[in-house]
């Protein structure tokens, strides 16, 4: 059997280096803008509405462009799609330094489009290239996402003091370009091996019944009766109830995080905390999530059933929201609870993208569906929360809304965490419902081998 390029040690090391650089570049372009909003508003003469649009654009773009990433990867290859995404991020960051409102907004859209593509393809790279290391590498990716986001926010003001808003916005184009230069050779190499990879993914592995013979073992938390590569490629994930459960769970976890980080400082300030202290609570939530982002995926990948983790994370969110309603003065306690809840739930959701997919191709499609729908769902959270606050004049109705949304988060999370794989439905509208695929025909060679054993 032709050896897959993923088994080459040097390629694995190069891919791992590319993965590290990619994940470091998927947040900084977003988190580096809020600290500079005042200066940008004065420089470009932005109205309050335009500032709101500028801060909302990234989330909307993450939702819209995530759906296109799997299509791009299938057309030109995963490595080439990642290279293109990093180049788009670089171009968007450089475009934002042009002193024109159009350039500022267009550059933000470009950068967010590139980040959306990278977000979707990270789980696919891990699943295909490192199927036995899904947990640790997903955890590493989560941790690096947080580190990159924190660095973007933390370095924005110092860079602004050193050279103004232009270098503060453009500085992250350098690591994005470096990452693109690392992924470029991987894209060229994948292009030469693409026919071999396609054949290896599509063919049943009768010649390789064990990991020792060249086939990776089934990761913990998945099922040994997964559809083969060719079968899994057919049909639409929109017909898979499991795929919908993963998408809604990811959307709800993201909605909780974005809504809390957007409004928690205001809530705490209204209950007697100083603005500096209230703002510090947001930082604590993010800091708590950094180690959990590494630990939780490792634990989840080692479990056959991730439902206990989902139940624990969602229960903590409910406890925090009830506490915020009944005893808002204990703000630091609920901040810690929210940090553990959000810092656990999103890594679980991201890990499920790999654990519920039989191969890297389906992982990319599931990731695109879940992140596209999930980010669009999450983008509605802060806005709806704020509207309720304005209509009612208090925070209680808005917090009760989040408590109600805990219910679909829990239900979909439990459904998504059950062992198994997504099974794309048939493309024909009159096709049968989602079902277990027929076993692959056993070749004569495989039968003779079994008899010999």
């Amino acid at each position: 059997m032709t050896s897959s390029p993923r088994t080459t040690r040097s390629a694995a090391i190069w891919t791992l280096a590319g993965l590290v650089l990619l994940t470091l570049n998927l947040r900084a372009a977003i988190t580096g803008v809020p600290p500079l909003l005042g200066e940008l508003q004065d420089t470009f003469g932005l109205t309050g509405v335009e500032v709101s649009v500028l801060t909302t654009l990234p989330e909307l773009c993450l939702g819209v462009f995530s759906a296109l990433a799997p299509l791009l990867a299938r057309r030109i290859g995963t490595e080439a799609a990642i290279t293109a995404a990093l180049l788009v991020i670089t171009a968007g960051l450089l475009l934002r330094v042009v002193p024109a409102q159009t350039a500022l907004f267009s550059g933000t859209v470009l950068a967010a489009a590139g980040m959306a593509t990278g977000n979707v393809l990270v789980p696919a790279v891990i699943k295909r290239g490192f199927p036995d290391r899904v947990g640790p590498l997903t955890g590493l990716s989560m941790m690096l996402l947080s580190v990159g986001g924190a660095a973007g926010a933390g370095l924005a003001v110092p860079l602004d003091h050193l050279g103004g808003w232009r270098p503060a916005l453009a500085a992250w184009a350098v690591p994005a370009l470096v990452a693109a230069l690392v992924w470029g050779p991987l894209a060229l190499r994948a292009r030469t091996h693409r026919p071999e990879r396609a054949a290896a993914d599509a063919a049943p592995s009768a010649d390789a019944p064990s990991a020792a013979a060249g086939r990776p073992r089934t990761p913990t938390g998945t099922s040994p009766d997964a559809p083969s590569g060719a079968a899994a490629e057919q049909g639409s994930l929109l017909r898979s109830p499991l795929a919908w459960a993963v998408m809604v769970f990811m959307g709800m976890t993201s909605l909780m995080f974005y809504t809390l980080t957007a409004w928690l400082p205001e809530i705490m300030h209204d209950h007697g905390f100083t603005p500096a202290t209230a703002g510090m609570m947001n930082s604590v939530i993010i800091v708590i999530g950094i180690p959990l982002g590494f630990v939780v995926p490792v634990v989840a990948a080692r479990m056959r059933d991730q439902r206990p983790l989902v139940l624990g994370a969602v229960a903590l969110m409910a406890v925090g929201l009830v506490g915020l309603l009944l005893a808002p003065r204990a703000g630091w306690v609920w901040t810690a609870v929210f940090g553990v809840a959000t810092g656990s739930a999103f890594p679980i959701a991201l890990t499920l993208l790999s654990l519920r997919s039989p191969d890297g191709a389906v992982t990319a499609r599931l990731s695109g569906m879940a992140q596209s729908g999930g980010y669009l769902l999450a983008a509605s959270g802060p806005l709806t929360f704020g509207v309720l606050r304005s209509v009612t004049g208090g925070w209680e109705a808005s917090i009760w809304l989040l408590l109600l949304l805990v219910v679909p988060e829990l239900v979909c999370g439990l459904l998504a965490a059950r062992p198994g794989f997504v099974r794309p439905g048939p493309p024909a509208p009159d096709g049968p419902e989602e079902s277990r695929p027929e076993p692959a025909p056993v070749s004569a060679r495989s039968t003779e081998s079994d008899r010999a054993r």
Side-chain angles (χ1 to χ4, degrees):
M1 184 179 70
T2 304
S3 61
S4 170
R6 71 184 178 191
T7 61
T8 305
R9 183 177 179 83
S10 60
I13 294 174
W14 196 266
T15 302
L16 184 59
L19 186 65
V20 169
L21 291 171
L22 172 63
T23 50
L24 281 173
N25 282 282
L26 295 181
R27 288 294 181 271
I30 295 176
T31 60
V33 172
L36 305 175
L37 279 178
E39 186 172 356
L40 293 175
Q41 188 171 13
D42 294 339
T43 301
F44 291 95
L46 301 176
T47 65
V49 173
E50 288 169 334
V51 170
S52 299
V53 171
L54 182 63
T55 55
T56 306
L57 262 180
E59 290 179 26
L60 293 176
C61 290
L62 288 175
V64 171
F65 289 103
S66 291
L68 303 178
L71 301 177
L72 181 64
R74 290 170 67 183
R75 184 171 183 84
I76 67 175
T78 299
E79 293 83 356
I82 291 175
T83 305
L86 288 164
L87 291 174
V88 169
I89 293 173
T90 304
L93 291 171
L94 293 176
L95 181 60
R96 290 200 300 193
V97 305
V98 177
Q101 281 192 26
T102 304
L104 178 65
F105 284 90
S106 299
T108 299
V109 171
L110 282 177
M115 287 184 287
T117 303
N119 279 338
V120 170
L121 297 181
V122 164
V125 170
I126 295 173
K127 177 72 174 182
R128 191 189 67 196
F130 308 94
D132 294 339
R133 297 290 183 267
V134 167
L137 290 183
T138 301
L140 177 65
S141 298
M142 286 296 306
M143 187 173 66
L144 292 174
L145 283 172
S146 299
V147 169
L155 294 176
V157 173
L159 288 172
D160 182 37
H161 289 164
L162 286 175
W165 63 270
R166 284 187 177 88
L169 289 181
W172 293 100
V174 175
L177 181 59
V178 171
L181 294 175
V182 171
W183 279 97
L186 288 170
L188 293 175
R189 186 178 189 279
R191 188 175 184 84
T192 61
H193 289 86
R194 201 170 180 185
E196 299 174 7
R197 177 181 294 168
D201 289 341
S205 301
D207 297 336
S210 67
R215 181 176 181 175
R217 64 178 175 84
T218 302
T220 306
T222 58
S223 171
D225 60 345
S228 63
E233 279 289 331
Q234 297 174 357
S236 171
L237 288 182
L238 296 177
R239 294 173 176 267
S240 168
L242 178 55
W244 278 97
V246 172
M247 186 198 77
V248 175
F249 179 59
M250 172 164 278
M252 287 299 172
T253 60
S254 301
L255 183 148
M256 294 292 177
F257 174 78
Y258 287 124
T259 303
L260 285 172
T261 54
W263 289 107
L264 186 62
E266 290 292 327
I267 297 173
M268 293 295 99
H269 180 54
D270 284 356
H271 286 93
F273 291 89
T274 66
T277 302
M280 184 65 68
M281 291 178 177
N282 259 4
S283 300
V284 169
I285 290 177
I286 296 173
V287 168
I288 291 175
I290 292 177
L292 288 174
F294 179 79
V295 173
V296 171
V298 175
V299 175
R302 291 178 177 177
M303 300 173 67
R304 183 176 181 275
D305 187 336
Q306 290 77 34
R307 282 177 288 186
L309 291 178
V310 170
L311 183 61
V314 177
L316 281 174
M317 177 58 67
V319 169
L321 291 172
V322 171
L324 198 59
L325 277 172
L326 301 180
R329 291 290 299 170
W332 281 111
V333 175
W334 313 130
T335 295
V337 173
F338 289 140
V340 177
T342 60
S344 302
F346 188 73
I348 294 171
L350 197 66
T351 307
L352 289 176
L353 298 178
S354 295
L355 297 183
R356 295 298 164 262
S357 304
D359 54 44
V362 176
T363 302
R365 295 171 60 196
L366 178 60
S367 181
M369 175 180 170
Q371 296 200 46
S372 178
Y375 277 118
L376 289 175
L377 183 62
S380 67
L383 177 62
T384 306
F385 194 94
V387 169
L388 271 179
R389 153 70 171 166
S390 300
V391 170
T392 62
W395 298 107
E396 289 78 11
S398 298
I399 297 173
W400 271 110
L401 173 63
L402 291 186
L403 264 174
L404 290 176
L405 292 178
V406 164
V407 176
E409 181 184 13
L410 176 62
V411 172
C412 291
L414 293 177
L415 291 174
R418 292 186 302 176
F421 291 99
V422 295
R423 303 185 185 280
D430 58 346
E433 295 295 323
E434 179 182 68
S435 62
R436 186 180 302 275
E438 293 296 328
V442 180
S443 64
R445 179 178 176 183
S446 176
T447 305
E448 292 172 2
S449 176
D450 291 339
R451 290 173 178 171
R453 286 196 295 270

